[in-house]
């Protein structure tokens, strides 16, 4: 089947991202990670930035974080191939530091916002403070997590990134709560 114009543009964006040098993060990457998944997904997941395994593979949410996502999705009738999964910035920052505001602004204005328009998801899960601050303008994760925020005709959820469990055990329960809400909202989409 021929690809739609939107799917073709998503592929073009991915190609641009892979050779992008618009912000300093290109210097620290092995591979840029444009994002992956269904072109017209109902659900989009946006993390912060690629980690080590993503940087090496060029794919989002691989390794332990990917296994966690697969586990969370059990019983929903969806798997990760039904989502579009990406990050706020597409290149791994040195030593996994938090991306800086100019990097976030450059990457989102050139790539993420257009990806979101093209995929046109009904539900977007923002993982981590960087994504939540940039896309919803909230000051912290806690200001937004645990509820559904309607904006521009879409539902947004905010949660902790699953990777946080590896260095903050105390946040493990909150991660489980965030993904339980995601699961409930996914079930509503299917009705
Ligand atoms: S982080 Fe984004 S803007 Fe910066 S080099 Fe990578 S793709 Fe380009």
């Amino acid at each position: 089947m021929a690809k739609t114009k939107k799917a073709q543009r998503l592929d073009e964006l991915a190609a641009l991202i892979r050779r992008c040098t618009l912000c300093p993060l290109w210097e620290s990457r092995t591979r840029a990670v444009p994002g992956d998944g269904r072109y017209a997904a109902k659900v989009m997941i946006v993390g912060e930035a690629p980690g080590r395994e993503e940087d090496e593979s060029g794919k989002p949410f691989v390794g332990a974080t990917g296994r966690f996502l697969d586990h969370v999705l059990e019983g929903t009738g969806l798997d990760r191939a039904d989502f579009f999964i990406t990050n706020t910035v597409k290149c791994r920052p040195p030593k996994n530091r938090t991306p800086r505001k100019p990097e976030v602004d450059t990457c989102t204005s050139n790539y993420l916002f257009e990806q979101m328009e093209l995929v046109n998801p009904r539900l977007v899960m923002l993982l981590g403070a960087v994504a939540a601050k940039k896309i919803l303008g909230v000051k912290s994760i806690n200001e937004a997590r645990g509820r559904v925020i309607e904006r521009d005709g879409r539902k947004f959820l905010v949660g902790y990134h699953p990777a946080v469990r590896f260095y903050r055990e105390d946040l493990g329960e909150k991660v489980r709560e965030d993904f339980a809400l995601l699961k409930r909202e996914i079930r509503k989409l299917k009705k």
Side-chain angles (χ1 to χ4, degrees), residues 122-124 136 144-151 154-158 181-182 184-185 188:
R122 288 165 63 190
L123 178 64
V124 182
L136 294 176
R145 62 179 290 277
R147 62 194 171 96
V148 177
I149 298 172
E150 305 231 4
R151 188 80 61 90
R154 306 186 210 291
K155 289 180 172 182
F156 288 87
L157 307 178
V158 171
L181 178 58
L182 173 66
R184 288 200 294 279
E185 289 301 318
K188 285 186 198 167

Side-chain angles (χ1 to χ4, degrees), residues 2-191:
K3 278 188 178 170
T4 63
K5 285 200 170 137
K6 287 185 177 184
Q8 284 174 13
R9 179 61 186 156
L10 279 164
D11 286 348
E12 279 170 24
L13 284 177
L16 290 170
I17 289 165
R18 289 193 186 97
R19 56 176 188 270
C20 179
T21 54
L22 289 174
C23 90
L25 292 182
W26 77 272
E27 294 176 70
S28 54
R29 75 181 177 220
T30 308
R31 294 179 191 212
V33 184
D36 223 356
R38 197 177 285 278
Y39 290 121
K42 286 184 185 169
V43 185
M44 188 163 178
I45 296 182
V46 182
E48 177 174 303
R52 185 177 56 80
E53 287 173 282
E54 295 173 299
D55 175 69
E56 286 169 0
S57 68
K59 295 192 174 299
F61 279 62
V62 292
T65 306
R67 285 192 293 280
F68 177 78
L69 184 62
D70 293 340
H71 167 69
V72 159
L73 294 175
E74 278 170 19
T76 62
L78 291 176
D79 64 37
R80 53 185 300 159
D82 294 309
F83 293 67
F84 191 91
I85 303 176
T86 188
N87 284 298
T88 311
V89 299
K90 315 302 190 189
C91 301
R92 184 191 186 197
K95 297 183 181 164
N96 283 355
R97 68 158 168 76
T98 303
R100 296 180 177 131
K101 187 174 181 308
E103 295 159 353
V104 170
D105 290 347
T106 302
C107 205
T108 52
S109 62
N110 281 280
Y111 305 119
L112 179 64
F113 292 146
E114 188 174 350
Q115 287 177 315
M116 204 175 283
E117 284 298 307
L118 292 164
V119 175
N120 196 21
R122 288 165 63 190
L123 178 64
V124 182
M125 177 89 175
L126 304 174
L127 296 174
V130 169
K133 285 178 185 171
K134 179 65 195 174
I135 293 162
L136 294 176
V138 296
K139 293 198 173 60
S140 69
I141 297 181
N142 281 325
E143 184 188 325
R145 62 179 290 277
R147 62 194 171 96
V148 177
I149 298 172
E150 305 231 4
R151 188 80 61 90
D152 303 328
R154 306 186 210 291
K155 289 180 172 182
F156 288 87
L157 307 178
V158 171
Y160 285 101
H161 195 287
V164 80
R165 298 168 310 137
F166 303 129
Y167 52 94
R168 287 277 310 268
E169 271 183 33
D170 56 313
L171 292 178
E173 188 52 36
K174 290 191 172 178
V175 172
R176 280 187 283 279
E177 288 168 10
D178 294 338
F179 279 86
L181 178 58
L182 173 66
K183 249 171 144 165
R184 288 200 294 279
E185 289 301 318
I186 287 173
R187 290 205 174 99
K188 285 186 198 167
L189 290 181
K190 296 176 82 188
K191 282 181 183 161

